[in-house]
Amino acid sequence: TAAAEEGRLSTVSVVIPVFNAGDDLEQSLAAIAASDYPLHECIVVDDGSTDGRAGEIARSHGARLLTMERQGGPALARNRGAEYATGEILFFTDADVVLHPDAIGKAARAFAEYPDVSAIFGSYDETPGHPSLLSRYRNLYHHWNHQVGSEEASTFWTGCGAVRRSVFLELGAFSSDYARPSIVALEFVSRLHSAGHRSRLVKEIQGTHLTSGTRGGRLRNAL
């Protein structure tokens, strides 16, 4: 039965780093709450926000809020969330990403289907939320780049990606030595592969990117 199938799948902790996310975080958490997979927990890590909204928004959606003592960037915020998480799978996403309802479940099922894979990731979808031409181009290029990529992956993406928590902690989490998120992810997956683990692209795992691809170079860094 479906219930029995769900019982064999891993528990999932969603981890979201946040800095002044506001309405984006509201939409992101609403989507997670609407997931068709029974979520173990959702952890929001406030990385020095000044708008004062993260706590209220997190509580309204039943998420746990952790606060960084000082701003350290998304890598350290994700590491803090992973440290406190208790799920078998860490699902990382961003505060400006609205996950599709089946994204978390597809990740959990992929881990069950591929027990020798330690990291799984997806992509932005083909309906970016920001109306600017440049933003739409960059979002759609990200989507296309992943959709034509090899499923036996040599990379990873923290905007919509999951790792077995035991492996994540074994490898020492994300490095804080790099400013660009893309470099952080590549350095992590390099260590993951060097340790004999595999990563896999699951093209059906998707989320909508809400903000402009030019804001702080966020999308450029994600490619």
Side-chain angles (χ1 to χ4, degrees), residues 18-195:
V18 174
F19 178 74
N20 290 347
D23 293 339
D24 286 354
L25 178 62
E26 181 80 45
Q27 294 183 64
S28 180
L29 291 179
I32 290 167
S35 170
D36 64 8
Y37 187 78
L39 194 63
H40 180 65
E41 63 186 345
C42 180
I43 300 175
V44 173
V45 186
D46 188 353
D47 187 32
S49 295
T50 58
D51 62 1
R53 298 188 61 193
E56 174 189 352
I57 295 172
R59 285 190 294 272
S60 70
H61 291 282
R64 179 180 182 182
L65 179 73
L66 301 177
T67 303
M68 301 291 286
E69 294 179 3
R70 56 181 177 274
Q71 189 175 30
L76 287 180
R78 291 187 179 100
N79 291 348
R80 172 66 67 84
E83 178 185 350
Y84 282 87
T86 57
E88 297 164 288
I89 301 298
L90 301 172
F91 193 113
F92 297 104
T93 188
D94 292 328
D96 62 351
V97 172
V98 175
L99 296 176
H100 289 191
D102 59 1
I104 297 171
K106 284 181 175 177
R109 291 180 179 87
F111 278 115
E113 183 178 354
Y114 302 100
D116 57 338
V117 168
S118 295
I120 286 170
F121 63 101
S123 75
Y124 291 142
D125 64 19
E126 56 187 2
T127 58
H130 197 274
S132 78
L133 181 62
L134 180 58
S135 177
R136 291 180 65 83
Y137 169 78
R138 288 179 165 169
N139 275 276
L140 291 172
Y141 176 76
H142 179 279
H143 172 77
W144 174 84
N145 193 47
H146 283 74
Q147 293 304 303
V148 300
S150 171
E151 293 182 342
E152 187 65 30
S154 59
T155 186
F156 184 66
W157 179 46
T158 54
C160 183
V163 186
R164 297 186 191 275
R165 183 172 181 269
S166 59
V167 173
F168 185 79
L169 298 179
E170 169 196 324
L171 295 176
F174 294 121
S175 171
S176 60
D177 294 338
Y178 308 94
R180 291 184 60 176
S182 60
I183 302 301
V184 173
L186 288 173
E187 191 277 336
F188 172 77
V189 82
S190 176
R191 282 187 282 126
L192 183 132
H193 290 162
S194 295

